[in-house]
Amino acid sequence: MQRILSTFIIFVSAFLLFQIQPILSKELLPEFGGGASVWSSSLFFYQSMLLLGYIYAHLLSRFQLKQQLLTHTVLVVLSSIITFNHFDVAAFLALPPTWLVIAKLFYQVGLAFILLSATSVLLQRWYIESTNAKVPYHWYSLSNLGSLIALISYPFIFEVAFSINQQKYYWKTGLFTYSALLLCLIYVLFKHGQLTKQVISKPKTNLLIKPNLLWIAFSATSSIMLIATTQMISINIPPMPLIWALPLVIYLLTFSYVFAAAKNYNRTHWAYLLMLSVFAGLFMFFLGSQFNALAQLLIYSFILFTVSMICHGELRKLAPDSSMLTVFYLYIALGGVLGSLLSAILAPMLFEQITEYIVALAAILTLFIYTQFTQAKRLSAVYQTALLTTLLVWGASYGYLFINFNQYNLASERNFYGYVTVKDITTASFAERRLIDGTTIHGSQPLNKQTEQTNSYYHQHTGIAKSLSALKSQQDLNIGIVGLGAGVLAKFGDKRDKIRFYELNPAVYSMALNYFSYLADSPAQIEVAIGDGRITLTEEVNNKAPLMNALIIDAFSSDVIPTHLLTEEAFSIYWQRLTRDGLLILHISNNHIDLMPVLKAHSKRFDKSLIKFKYTGTQLGSEWVVMTNNQAFLNSITLSDLSPTTTYSNTPLTQWTDQKHSLIPLIKF
């Protein structure tokens, strides 16, 4: 009975651990601009709490079994009571975005996460102390299975079926269930006298036992690879639980597989896949945005799977006996924290691009070669040469590609919200300066100002130009633009117009001001508000700011539109900032997401007419949607103008709210 209860408790705790991660991270997205860094910051928090959980388990194991059980159960019951208490941490702490994400998560679920993290290690320890059995390493595999089920089920079941508040309610019910199961375990151990038996002598454990440094190195490398892969995918595909869950599922699946049995990992078999993967990773780092969403997911997943299998397979080979059980898990957790620290905190300060992805590939290749040369027996000369040649050729290839892809860079900057670059591109047919956010052009300007700009989302034949021209024929512009880019839209204003930009990323404003002349050259009255557009617009509604006659949503981050700008609550704010006949204009050019089902649902919900402009005349085709009840504007738009589409009888409705929305049905595969 003890074995059955223990395994069930481990499964439940692992499920709860990995179910709460996407719930809280998704809830935080709107507060921090909807960017991928929310998830990388969250992962740093979760892995830090995991380390604290393992330290807690390691220190608790110094005491008698009865004391361990009672202490842990009391703390779990306490955490069940205080989890999800409402408190606005941001009102009392002035922190950078990364640390504010961590503070909010710690307040909501910190204690519970630490205790749940310790469960697998503690129950394995309790089992060997009360039965004198060998370490049940396969229970670690069971723990990962619970985590996998939690991650896979969330985007396909829980996110679709329940609101965020409902998800949190059911999760807290699960936490109370976990507490009840622990009480049942105590009862069973008391009933069978296990707590009074001195089955094994308990040596005093020492927290500072010198580790095998490879434990930390392999764990840190796999952690860097996990977060960097998620960041690479999220450059062009919106941050959402599915995109977060897929790399984490691969990470856990490899852990589960190799720890189920030592024979499941064979170094030689995986060596050749590693050689292929490091070059595939190098190719994706520079050219990954050229592939569609499905291809990107498959290639990045293959690379991560290979690297994780090697890192976790080597950890299983290095696993110690029972006397070092808690120390082993503790240092694995430490490696995970160090890896996430580099990826989430240090990398944005050290690198202008997601260079930690390349660092992780180089580290795993180097570590693997080192272990092969120091621990494997009878390596052939051909095999050794192949490994070393792979390392040298890969390094040379990176250097060559880095020089060629960055030779046009004028400036680059990376922060919590992403990374932006200014490039001067000169070819036989054109010469222009580009602002690139991630991998997507977010505005360009001819180096010769007399040159007509046709290769752009904003030239005179696009939907935005047609819409603003039609509006200007009725009245002067008094418009808001969520998303600055290079400031290209400022060129549509004249001296009687007012244009107010809302820009989340200070780096984008700096680039637009210092490397492009749109803001300075525009005769219109220009204002730029730094901060999340939705939050700033809400403040303006509360302050009864003068209404605008058009609001443009052009808030891309690379190829991603933050979902919190497209919910019913967001649209309600937009209409409160617009005059009765105002225009809501949305830029929906996107290689991976079809937003029309959401916009059609909103047009019906708010009783607005909807038209769509699609332009495909240049390399940068564009799609713009206008929602309005301005009949004069609608009458002025003829079918010859970019052939705007006005009927969508075959488009399903997808209603999005802050509490409930999913991108999965909208992905273009």
Side-chain angles (χ1 to χ4, degrees):
M1 187 61 181
Q2 177 189 356
R3 186 183 184 91
I4 295 174
L5 262 178
S6 296
T7 53
F8 189 54
I9 292 171
I10 287 175
F11 182 87
V12 170
S13 68
F15 184 90
L16 291 173
L17 266 180
F18 284 84
Q19 181 86 162
I20 196 59
Q21 295 185 29
I23 293 174
L24 293 185
S25 298
K26 180 179 179 179
E27 186 180 44
L28 287 176
L29 274 175
E31 297 185 47
F32 295 92
S37 293
V38 170
W39 180 243
S40 59
S41 301
S42 298
L43 277 181
F44 173 62
F45 165 79
Y46 296 132
Q47 290 188 307
S48 299
M49 294 303 101
L50 182 69
L51 174 61
L52 291 179
Y54 284 171
I55 292 174
Y56 160 76
H58 184 66
L59 294 176
L60 193 63
S61 66
R62 297 165 60 92
F63 300 97
Q64 293 300 316
L65 184 56
K66 183 187 298 185
Q67 295 172 302
Q68 294 182 45
L69 280 163
L70 293 176
T71 300
H72 187 67
T73 304
V74 168
L75 289 175
V76 167
V77 172
L78 175 64
S79 72
S80 301
I81 297 171
I82 67 173
T83 295
F84 298 150
N85 283 340
H86 296 287
F87 177 73
D88 186 9
V89 174
F92 294 90
L93 297 174
L95 296 172
T98 297
W99 293 105
L100 192 55
V101 168
I102 293 168
K104 283 176 171 286
L105 290 172
F106 183 81
Y107 179 78
Q108 284 213 64
V109 77
L111 178 59
F113 203 94
I114 290 171
L115 297 172
L116 289 169
S117 299
T119 301
S120 179
V121 179
L122 281 177
L123 265 68
Q124 289 183 58
R125 188 72 202 178
W126 294 346
Y127 181 72
I128 63 177
E129 284 188 27
S130 60
T131 63
N132 203 21
K134 293 182 179 179
V135 178
Y137 274 119
H138 60 281
W139 285 11
Y140 193 63
S141 181
L142 177 69
S143 173
N144 283 316
L145 178 62
S147 305
L148 286 170
I149 293 175
L151 287 171
I152 294 171
S153 64
Y154 183 79
F156 296 105
I157 299 175
F158 292 94
E159 184 183 25
V160 175
F162 306 110
S163 68
I164 290 177
N165 285 339
Q166 289 174 322
Q167 294 166 28
K168 291 171 73 173
Y169 171 79
Y170 292 133
W171 188 88
K172 194 163 185 177
T173 301
L175 188 59
F176 279 114
T177 303
Y178 168 76
S179 304
L181 289 171
L182 279 176
L183 292 173
C184 291
L185 179 62
I186 291 177
Y187 171 77
V188 168
L189 292 175
F190 266 109
K191 182 178 179 181
H192 293 89
Q194 296 293 89
L195 298 182
T196 59
K197 294 179 182 179
Q198 294 296 323
V199 180
I200 60 172
S201 59
K202 283 182 58 58
K204 289 287 184 180
T205 56
N206 184 354
L207 179 63
L208 298 178
I209 293 175
K210 184 178 180 180
N212 184 331
L213 292 179
L214 289 175
W215 295 347
I216 298 175
F218 279 112
S219 177
T221 302
S222 64
S223 178
I224 296 171
M225 196 68 189
L226 166 65
I227 298 177
T229 298
T230 309
Q231 289 270 32
M232 292 296 295
I233 295 173
S234 296
I235 289 176
N236 296 307
I237 303 176
M240 57 178 174
L242 175 64
I243 300 304
W244 300 336
L246 180 61
L248 198 49
V249 164
I250 293 170
Y251 179 87
L252 293 171
L253 188 63
T254 56
F255 242 131
S256 181
Y257 178 72
V258 299
F259 273 81
K263 64 180 180 180
N264 287 347
Y265 170 69
N266 184 297
R267 278 181 181 151
T268 305
H269 293 166
W270 288 97
Y272 299 104
L273 285 176
L274 178 62
M275 295 178 193
L276 173 63
S277 294
V278 292
F279 282 102
L282 191 60
F283 181 81
M284 292 299 291
F285 181 78
F286 289 102
L287 295 170
S289 62
Q290 304 302 312
F291 295 91
N292 63 30
L294 182 59
Q296 288 191 51
L297 289 174
L298 290 175
I299 297 172
Y300 279 121
S301 296
F302 167 75
I303 297 167
L304 179 62
F305 181 77
T306 303
V307 170
S308 297
M309 273 296 299
I310 289 175
C311 289
H312 300 155
E314 293 297 333
L315 285 174
R316 181 63 183 90
K317 282 184 173 294
L318 296 167
D321 58 25
S322 61
S323 64
M324 293 278 284
L325 172 68
T326 57
V327 175
F328 177 58
Y329 286 130
L330 189 155
Y331 281 112
I332 287 180
L334 176 61
V337 171
L338 293 176
S340 61
L341 176 67
L342 173 64
S343 297
I345 308 297
L346 299 180
M349 296 187 290
L350 296 174
F351 307 128
E352 293 178 345
Q353 298 177 339
I354 307 179
T355 310
E356 60 268 27
Y357 187 76
I358 294 297
V359 170
L361 290 174
I364 184 56
L365 184 58
T366 304
L367 283 169
F368 183 78
I369 293 174
Y370 172 78
T371 54
Q372 288 283 74
F373 277 70
T374 58
Q375 298 185 19
K377 298 179 180 178
R378 291 176 296 185
L379 294 179
S380 69
V382 174
Y383 182 68
Q384 294 182 55
T385 302
L387 288 174
L388 293 174
T389 301
T390 298
L391 181 60
L392 292 173
V393 173
W394 183 87
S397 299
Y398 171 72
Y400 174 80
L401 291 171
F402 178 84
I403 292 172
N404 280 274
F405 273 82
N406 292 283
Q407 62 179 316
Y408 304 111
N409 288 9
L410 285 182
S412 296
E413 186 172 343
R414 181 181 177 187
N415 57 26
F416 179 84
Y417 303 105
Y419 67 92
V420 292
T421 304
V422 177
K423 291 177 179 283
D424 278 352
I425 307 295
T426 303
T427 68
S429 57
F430 68 89
E432 66 181 19
R433 177 165 296 175
R434 294 175 177 176
L435 177 67
I436 299 177
D437 191 333
T439 59
T440 301
I441 300 173
H442 279 202
S444 59
Q445 186 170 27
L447 293 177
N448 180 356
K449 292 188 178 182
Q450 305 304 315
T451 304
E452 182 181 2
Q453 189 177 32
T454 58
N455 191 34
S456 165
Y457 296 120
Y458 312 103
H459 62 77
Q460 61 181 343
H461 302 296
T462 58
I464 183 62
K466 295 288 186 181
S467 298
L468 291 179
S469 176
L471 183 61
K472 280 176 69 70
S473 68
Q474 301 177 25
Q475 54 193 295
D476 294 336
L477 297 182
N478 179 15
I479 64 176
I481 303 173
V482 179
L484 172 63
V488 182
L489 290 176
K491 72 180 183 179
F492 291 106
D494 59 36
K495 62 182 180 180
R496 298 181 302 274
D497 298 329
K498 295 180 181 179
I499 302 177
R500 180 172 171 81
F501 288 96
Y502 304 84
E503 175 54 51
L504 174 68
N505 190 346
V508 170
Y509 178 52
S510 175
M511 299 295 185
L513 199 61
N514 295 314
Y515 294 94
F516 298 86
S517 64
Y518 292 112
L519 297 179
D521 291 346
S522 175
Q525 179 181 330
I526 303 291
E527 294 180 356
V528 179
I530 302 300
D532 180 79
R534 176 173 163 177
I535 293 174
T536 307
L537 287 167
T538 302
E539 293 172 352
E540 292 175 358
V541 169
N542 295 334
N543 295 331
K544 302 187 185 307
L547 299 181
M548 299 178 285
N549 54 19
L551 180 60
I552 302 167
I553 309 300
D554 187 25
F556 282 87
S557 174
S558 193
D559 202 25
V560 174
I561 297 178
T563 56
H564 73 289
L565 296 178
L566 297 173
T567 63
E568 181 179 316
E569 292 86 347
F571 272 61
S572 178
I573 294 167
Y574 302 155
W575 295 122
Q576 292 179 69
R577 287 293 293 122
L578 289 168
T579 58
R580 183 181 297 274
D581 60 351
L583 276 61
L584 179 59
I585 307 172
L586 301 103
H587 189 187
I588 63 167
S589 307
N590 196 287
N591 293 321
H592 308 291
I593 303 293
D594 177 16
L595 294 170
M596 283 308 298
V598 176
L599 300 184
K600 181 182 176 183
H602 288 328
S603 72
K604 289 186 175 294
R605 165 68 179 81
F606 293 100
D607 192 24
K608 303 290 182 182
S609 296
L610 182 151
I611 58 175
K612 175 183 175 181
F613 297 89
K614 184 173 183 178
Y615 180 79
T616 56
T618 62
Q619 179 184 0
L620 293 180
S622 66
E623 295 184 19
W624 294 85
V625 166
V626 180
M627 296 171 64
T628 185
N629 281 340
N630 186 331
Q631 198 58 49
F633 170 84
L634 294 170
N635 292 339
S636 70
I637 301 296
T638 65
L639 291 181
S640 62
D641 287 329
L642 310 178
S643 298
T645 307
T646 58
T647 58
Y648 304 93
S649 57
N650 297 324
T651 302
L653 299 183
T654 301
Q655 192 67 49
W656 274 8
T657 67
D658 286 348
Q659 282 286 311
K660 191 177 180 182
H661 58 270
S662 174
L663 280 162
I664 292 176
L666 308 180
I667 296 178
K668 300 176 186 177
F669 288 109

